[in-house]
C-alpha cells in the first residue's frame, strides 16, 4: 500500500482549524466563568461596604457556588457569618475548607485559626481549646496561646494556665512571672479551702520565688502563717512586704495589727504604720494606727486626734464620719440618725475600683471579675483615688 501525501497535506490544515476552534471555545467559556465569579464577588464587596451584610452574604454564596475552589471567598464568607453571630454557618464554612485535600499549608493553618475563633465566639470552650491546640507550631501559635490562657483563667484551671505562661515565657513572648505567681496563689487558696495547709504553704513559697517583688505571695503567706499560729514569722513576712511593696501595705494593715497584738509587737507595728502613713497617707493605714492606739490602752484622744490631723490634710468624708461617731452632739437624740446617714453615704467611698474597667467591689481583687485583668485594683479606696 502506497503512502499518500495528499491526505497528510489536506489533514494538517483541517486539524489546525479544529484545534483553533476548540481553543477559542474553551477560552470563551473560561472568560465567561471568570466574568461571572468576579461580578458576584464585587457585588458582595459593594454590599459589604454599604453595610448590607445580608445581601453581601447572598452574593458571596453565589460566588462560592460558581467557583468552589476560591479559598478567599470562603474566608470572607466565614468572617461575615461570625460577625453576624451565625457561628454554626461560620463553622461549616471553615470545616469545609479544612476538609479539602488541595488546601495549602498556610491556608490550612488560617482556616484552623478561623475555626478556633468561631468556637470562641460561640462560647464552645472545649472545642475552641481543641482547635487552638492544633495551632501549636504555626504562625498563629502566639495568638492561640493567649486565647488558651484566657480559657484556662475563665475556667480557673490554674495548672494549665501555668503551663501556658511557661511556654510563652520560654518563647520570649514576655515576662509572665507575676502572672505565674498569681496562679500559684490561686492554687494555694484552693488547698487552704481543702485544709491542705502544707501544700498551700509550698505553693506560696514557690510563688514568692517566682516573683519576689509581687505583694500577693507575701501577704497570703503571712495570712497562712498567722492561721497556723506562727505569728512571729507572719510579722516578718509583713515587714518584708512593707519593704518590697510599700504601695500594697494598706491591704495588710489590719492583719499587721492582729499579728502585732499576738506577738506583743504593737509598738513596732505602730512605728512601721506611722512611717508609711507619713510617706503616703491612706485610710487603711489611718484606721490601723487608730486600732493600735486602742489596743495599747489609748482608746480616747490619740486615735481621735489622728482623725482630725488626717482631715487637716485630706478632705475625707470617711474619716469625718468616724470622728463624729465618738463625738457628743448638742442634740444627742439625733446622733444615731445622723450617724446612720453618714455611714450609708460613706459605704461607696470605701470600695475598691478596677482601673481598667471601673468595676467596684467591697473587697480588693487581684483578678478583676469584670474585665479579667490582673493587678488592676489599686490598694486604695475609691475616696482616695
Amino acid at each position: 500500500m502506497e503512502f499518500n501525501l495528499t491526505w497528510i497535506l489536506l489533514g494538517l490544515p483541517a486539524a489546525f482549524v479544529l484545534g483553533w476552534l476548540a481553543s477559542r471555545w474553551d477560552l470563551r467559556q473560561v472568560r465567561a466563568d471568570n466574568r461571572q465569579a468576579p461580578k458576584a464577588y464585587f457585588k458582595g464587596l459593594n454590599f459589604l461596604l454599604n453595610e448590607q451584610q445580608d445581601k453581601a452574604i447572598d452574593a458571596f454564596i453565589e460566588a462560592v457556588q460558581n467557583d468552589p475552589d476560591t479559598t478567599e471567598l470562603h474566608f470572607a464568607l466565614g468572617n461575615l457569618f461570625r460577625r453576624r453571630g451565625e457561628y454554626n454557618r461560620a463553622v461549616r464554612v471553615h470545616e469545609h475548607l479544612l476538609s479539602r485535600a488541595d488546601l495549602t499549608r498556610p491556608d490550612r493553618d488560617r482556616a484552623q485559626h478561623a475555626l478556633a475563633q468561631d468556637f470562641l465566639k460561640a462560647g464552645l470552650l472545649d472545642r475552641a481549646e481543641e482547635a487552638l491546640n492544633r495551632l501549636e507550631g504555626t504562625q498563629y501559635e502566639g495568638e492561640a496561646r493567649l486565647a488558651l490562657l484566657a480559657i484556662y483563667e475563665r475556667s480557673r484551671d490554674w495548672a494549665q494556665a501555668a503551663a501556658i505562661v511557661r511556654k510563652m515565657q520560654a518563647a520570649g513572648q514576655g515576662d509572665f512571672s507575676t502572672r505565674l505567681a498569681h496562679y500559684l496563689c490561686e492554687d494555694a487558696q484552693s488547698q487552704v479551702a481543702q485544709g491542705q495547709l502544707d501544700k498551700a504553704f509550698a505553693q506560696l513559697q514557690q510563688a514568692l520565688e517566682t516573683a519576689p517583688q509581687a505583694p500577693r505571695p507575701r501577704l497570703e503567706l503571712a495570712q497562712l502563717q498567722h492561721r497556723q499560729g506562727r505569728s512571729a514569722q507572719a510579722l516578718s513576712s509583713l515587714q518584708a512586704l512593707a519593704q518590697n511593696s510599700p504601695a500594697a501595705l494598706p491591704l495588710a494593715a489590719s492583719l499587721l495589727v492582729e499579728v502585732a497584738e499576738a506577738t506583743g509587737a504593737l509598738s513596732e507595728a505602730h512605728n512601721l504604720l506611722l512611717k508609711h502613713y507619713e510617706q503616703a497617707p491612706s485610710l487603711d493605714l489611718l484606721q490601723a494606727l487608730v486600732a493600735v492606739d486602742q489596743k495599747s490602752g489609748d482608746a480616747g484622744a490619740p486615735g481621735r486626734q489622728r482623725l482630725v490631723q488626717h482631715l487637716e490634710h485630706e478632705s475625707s468624708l470617711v474619716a469625718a464620719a468616724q470622728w463624729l461617731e465618738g463625738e457628743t452632739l448638742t442634740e444627742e437624740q439625733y446622733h444615731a440618725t445622723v450617724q446612720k446617714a453618714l455611714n450609708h453615704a460613706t459605704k461607696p467611698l470605701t470600695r475598691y475600683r478596677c482601673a481598667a474597667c471601673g468595676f467596684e467591689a467591697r473587697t480588693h481583687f487581684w483578678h478583676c471579675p469584670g474585665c479579667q485583668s490582673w493587678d488592676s485594683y489599686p490598694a486604695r479606696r475609691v475616696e482616695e483615688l
Side-chain angles (χ1 to χ4, degrees):
M1 182 177 178
E2 296 182 359
F3 186 73
N4 195 343
L5 294 175
T6 304
W7 291 105
I8 297 178
L9 294 175
L10 292 175
L12 284 175
F16 175 77
V17 171
L18 291 174
W20 181 81
L21 290 174
S23 67
R24 293 296 295 175
W25 174 264
D26 290 341
L27 185 59
R28 284 197 299 269
Q29 184 66 33
V30 169
R31 285 176 178 174
D33 292 342
N34 288 341
R35 281 196 301 269
Q36 188 175 8
K39 183 179 179 181
Y41 174 79
F42 287 118
K43 188 197 305 183
L45 184 59
N46 183 53
F47 285 135
L48 186 59
L49 292 174
N50 291 325
E51 297 184 357
Q52 296 175 288
Q53 293 189 6
D54 291 333
K55 293 182 179 180
I57 286 175
D58 292 337
F60 282 138
I61 289 175
E62 178 186 350
V64 169
Q65 289 173 346
N66 292 331
D67 187 6
D69 294 332
T70 306
T71 57
E72 288 301 328
L73 287 178
H74 282 77
F75 283 122
L77 194 58
N79 291 336
L80 275 175
F81 283 142
R82 190 192 311 126
R83 287 179 59 184
R84 286 173 51 83
E86 299 181 42
Y87 304 120
N88 289 335
R89 300 178 75 180
V91 166
R92 285 200 299 269
V93 169
H94 294 130
E95 285 182 338
H96 175 263
L97 273 174
L98 288 170
S99 67
R100 285 172 46 179
D102 62 337
L103 200 64
T104 64
R105 184 65 188 180
D107 282 342
R108 185 170 298 278
D109 294 340
R110 182 181 173 188
Q112 185 67 43
H113 179 249
L115 182 63
Q117 289 181 308
D118 297 337
F119 290 140
L120 281 173
K121 290 291 186 179
L124 303 173
L125 300 185
D126 291 342
R127 299 186 68 180
E129 179 184 357
E130 181 182 353
L132 290 167
N133 281 323
R134 292 179 181 175
L135 292 169
E136 196 74 18
T138 70
Q139 61 176 325
Y140 302 100
E141 181 181 70
E143 296 178 40
R145 286 173 176 173
L146 285 173
L148 281 170
L149 190 60
I151 291 175
Y152 294 141
E153 287 183 355
R154 189 183 305 180
S155 59
R156 302 184 67 81
D157 190 343
W158 306 118
Q160 290 277 30
I164 288 292
V165 297
R166 288 190 178 101
K167 286 183 181 180
M168 295 172 69
Q169 190 153 335
Q173 288 185 248
D175 182 10
F176 294 89
S177 56
T178 302
R179 184 79 68 92
L180 181 56
H182 277 302
Y183 298 157
L184 292 168
C185 289
E186 293 285 348
D187 201 14
Q189 285 186 346
S190 301
Q191 301 292 348
V192 169
Q194 298 172 12
Q196 300 178 347
L197 302 186
D198 291 338
K199 290 184 178 180
F201 182 79
Q203 294 277 39
L204 292 174
Q205 287 285 11
Q206 186 180 351
L208 186 57
E209 294 171 2
T210 301
Q213 300 303 318
R216 185 181 183 182
R218 283 192 171 88
L219 177 56
E220 297 195 2
L221 184 62
Q223 291 172 339
L224 182 58
Q225 289 168 334
H226 184 53
R227 177 175 177 173
Q228 292 178 317
R230 297 182 290 171
S231 298
Q233 295 180 19
L235 181 61
S236 299
S237 296
L238 292 175
Q239 289 171 335
L241 170 66
Q243 182 178 355
N244 291 277
S245 307
L249 185 60
L251 299 175
S254 60
L255 177 63
L256 178 60
V257 175
E258 292 181 19
V259 170
E261 184 179 21
T263 57
L266 285 174
S267 177
E268 189 174 351
H270 173 273
N271 294 336
L272 180 62
L273 290 167
L274 184 60
K275 173 186 173 182
H276 286 273
Y277 174 81
E278 291 174 346
Q279 293 174 352
S282 162
L283 284 172
D284 290 292
L285 295 179
L286 174 65
Q287 292 172 354
L289 283 167
V290 172
V292 169
D293 289 336
Q294 293 174 344
K295 293 180 183 299
S296 299
D298 299 326
R304 292 177 54 74
Q305 187 62 31
R306 290 190 192 282
L307 294 172
V308 173
Q309 291 172 353
H310 183 82
L311 288 170
E312 291 175 353
H313 300 91
E314 306 286 340
S315 297
S316 171
L317 183 60
V318 175
Q322 291 177 354
W323 178 84
L324 189 61
E325 188 173 2
E327 187 69 12
T328 302
L329 302 182
T330 303
E331 299 183 24
E332 186 61 26
Q333 66 271 25
Y334 303 122
H335 193 172
T337 303
V338 173
Q339 191 64 45
K340 182 180 179 181
L342 281 173
N343 291 340
H344 179 74
T346 57
K347 275 185 179 180
L349 301 179
T350 59
R351 295 174 180 170
Y352 295 96
R353 179 186 296 157
C354 174
C357 70
F359 186 90
E360 293 185 3
R362 288 181 294 177
T363 58
H364 180 273
F365 284 103
W366 299 103
H367 189 207
C368 177
C371 64
Q372 305 299 307
S373 298
W374 290 95
D375 293 319
S376 59
Y377 276 83
R380 303 179 72 81
R381 309 285 179 167
V382 168
E383 188 184 54
E384 303 173 277
L385 297 177

